[in-house]
Amino acid sequence: MSDPKRVAIIGAGMAGLTLARALAGQASVRIFEKSGSIGGRMATRRIEGVSFDHGAQYFTVRDPQFRDMLDKAAADGVVERWNRDIVSLPAAPERDQRPDDARYVGTPGMTSLPKWMARDCDITFNARVASISGTPGNWAMTTNAGEEGPFDWVVATAPAPQSAALLPPAFVHHEALHAIRMNGCFTLMVTLQPGATPPFAAARVDDPVIGWISRNDTKPGRDHVPCLVVNANPEWSDRHLEVPIETVRARMIEAVCRYIPLGAAEAEGAVIKRWRYANVARAAGQPFLLDEEQHMGCCGDGCIAGRVEAAFQSASLLADALLPALRETT
Ligand SMILES: Cc1cc2nc3c(=O)[nH]c(=O)nc-3n(C[C@H](O)[C@H](O)[C@H](O)COP(=O)(O)OP(=O)(O)OC[C@H]3O[C@@H](n4cnc5c(N)ncnc54)[C@H](O)[C@@H]3O)c2cc1C
């Protein structure tokens, strides 16, 4: 029997982990992740002892394969339904009536699901892939932690513009990859005074600056400290990506106060995060991008839509297409 094919996956978010799990046992798989943690945009952060999901807020579950995996994750206690209603601000009862998909979250934090998925994965952290060189079947990668390879296949799952910058010109799907458009997002995290109870768990906000407010403490398994996660709206975020972060923070605090008055201490303690690539404005319209000649691929939310579930689907479908090639002997 020939040696298993060596596959390098760039990125340990939902797409990278899904792909690694789908190829497990069929290939020798390594993941390279630029940051020190798992989950990519499924992110949880602690600020002075309070946890905030500052990336994906929740996820939908429509795909049967995704549901199968989540049933197992739920049995292990790392996923739960988040049933609370989402209201509209300013109040618009007619908009609140629209049927919503069931919403799920990781427990006790959004990263709990990717951490659970990563249990048997071989991940090298703090390894930002800077370039890929070589020939099909013999790829090498330069990372800030050193040279890695050779690999038979390389699959990039970074946000589309970052994957586009990494994959060599020979990758046949560059046009589709470059056509993907992503929006930025600023996320403000605010710890409220004990006992504060804004009259909703989450709100879609029709405002020139912000688009979403949620009370992270209403999600299952969170701390009982009232706290807000606020997202700026995509258009405003894009226009402010290069604006000094303190200015952006002040404008977002001002916007939050139109709906929830913040005390001086609450405003002072607010922490902001800038996501240069947060959501997908225009997807590739193809579930994944696989170049069988170059032994290279790309998957992730940018291929389908800006959702956790779409990242899962993109990677699962790429794995289905890749597995027959991995079984071929050389
Ligand atoms: C603020 C915000 C709110 C959101 N809200 C929702 C929501 O409510 N519901 C929903 O379904 N989705 C939401 N999303 C979108 C959702 O988070 C993404 O669609 C999904 O997590 C994408 O997964 P992915 O694996 O494709 O990409 P990512 O999660 O971005 O994973 C890519 C990984 O690649 C790594 N990487 C990048 N470049 C390199 C490199 N050169 N070398 C090595 N590693 C690299 C990154 O560090 C990252 O870990 C939100 C996103 C944001 C930012």
Side-chain angles (χ1 to χ4, degrees), residues 192 196 198-199 228 253 256-264 266-267:
L192 301 175
L228 304 178
I253 289 171
V256 174
C257 289
R258 291 195 269 275
Y259 310 95
I260 301 170
L262 298 180
E266 292 168 331

Side-chain angles (χ1 to χ4, degrees), residues 10-16 32-35 37-42 54-60 127-130 157-159 162 166 185 187 231 275 277-280 299-302 305-309 311:
I10 301 170
M14 176 53 74
F32 297 90
E33 167 56 48
K34 73 174 180 185
S35 73
S37 53
I38 292 173
R41 281 170 278 160
M42 296 183 78
H54 62 300
Q57 295 297 292
Y58 62 84
F59 44 86
T60 51
R128 176 194 290 267
V129 178
T157 74
Q162 293 173 330
L166 266 182
C185 182
T187 300
N231 285 338
W275 296 96
Y277 303 114
N279 289 302
V280 179
C299 63
D301 64 345
R307 291 193 306 268
V308 168
E309 184 171 20

Side-chain angles (χ1 to χ4, degrees), residues 219-240:
K219 294 179 180 176
R222 269 57 175 185
D223 314 299
H224 296 294
V225 178
C227 59
L228 304 178
V229 172
V230 182
N231 285 338
N233 75 47
E235 298 75 25
W236 190 87
S237 296
D238 279 348
R239 287 200 306 278
H240 289 75

Side-chain angles (χ1 to χ4, degrees), residues 57 82 200-203 212-216 218-219 227-230:
Q57 295 297 292
W82 182 41
F200 54 79
W212 168 264
I213 303 176
S214 72
R215 273 189 50 201
N216 211 68
T218 65
K219 294 179 180 176
C227 59
L228 304 178
V229 172
V230 182

Side-chain angles (χ1 to χ4, degrees), residues 106-324:
T107 48
M110 202 51 112
T111 43
S112 305
L113 176 61
K115 280 183 184 157
W116 177 88
M117 292 172 70
R119 284 169 308 175
D120 298 319
C121 294
D122 177 347
I123 306 179
T124 306
F125 291 102
N126 302 308
R128 176 194 290 267
V129 178
S131 64
I132 304 166
S133 57
T135 51
N138 193 27
W139 292 116
M141 304 196 309
T142 307
T143 79
N144 58 320
E147 292 290 317
E148 297 284 358
F151 298 104
D152 296 293
W153 288 79
V154 175
V155 180
T157 74
Q162 293 173 330
S163 290
L166 266 182
L167 292 170
F171 181 58
V172 75
H173 296 294
H174 265 294
E175 200 176 322
L177 192 50
H178 277 96
I180 297 170
R181 290 279 166 270
M182 299 197 66
N183 292 120
C185 182
F186 290 96
T187 300
L188 190 75
M189 294 156 267
V190 188
T191 303
L192 301 175
Q193 287 300 310
T197 49
F200 54 79
R204 295 192 177 92
V205 190
D206 186 6
D207 182 272
V209 178
I210 60 175
W212 168 264
I213 303 176
S214 72
R215 273 189 50 201
N216 211 68
D217 55 299
T218 65
K219 294 179 180 176
R222 269 57 175 185
D223 314 299
H224 296 294
V225 178
C227 59
L228 304 178
V229 172
V230 182
N231 285 338
N233 75 47
E235 298 75 25
W236 190 87
S237 296
D238 279 348
R239 287 200 306 278
H240 289 75
L241 281 175
E242 307 309 330
V243 170
I245 198 80
E246 269 309 308
T247 308
V248 174
R249 182 177 166 281
R251 293 282 307 278
M252 285 187 73
I253 289 171
E254 194 181 283
V256 174
C257 289
R258 291 195 269 275
Y259 310 95
I260 301 170
L262 298 180
E266 292 168 331
E268 241 165 62
V271 173
I272 191 163
K273 153 89 183 163
R274 181 184 71 173
W275 296 96
R276 184 169 286 282
Y277 303 114
N279 289 302
V280 179
R282 185 171 71 210
Q286 308 178 45
F288 57 86
L289 303 170
L290 188 63
D291 183 340
E292 301 216 20
E293 202 165 301
Q294 291 299 321
H295 286 205
M296 251 179 203
C298 178
C299 63
D301 64 345
C303 290
I304 302 180
R307 291 193 306 268
V308 168
E309 184 171 20
F312 173 91
Q313 289 172 310
S314 174
S316 300
L317 290 166
L318 185 141
D320 291 346
L322 183 55
L323 277 169

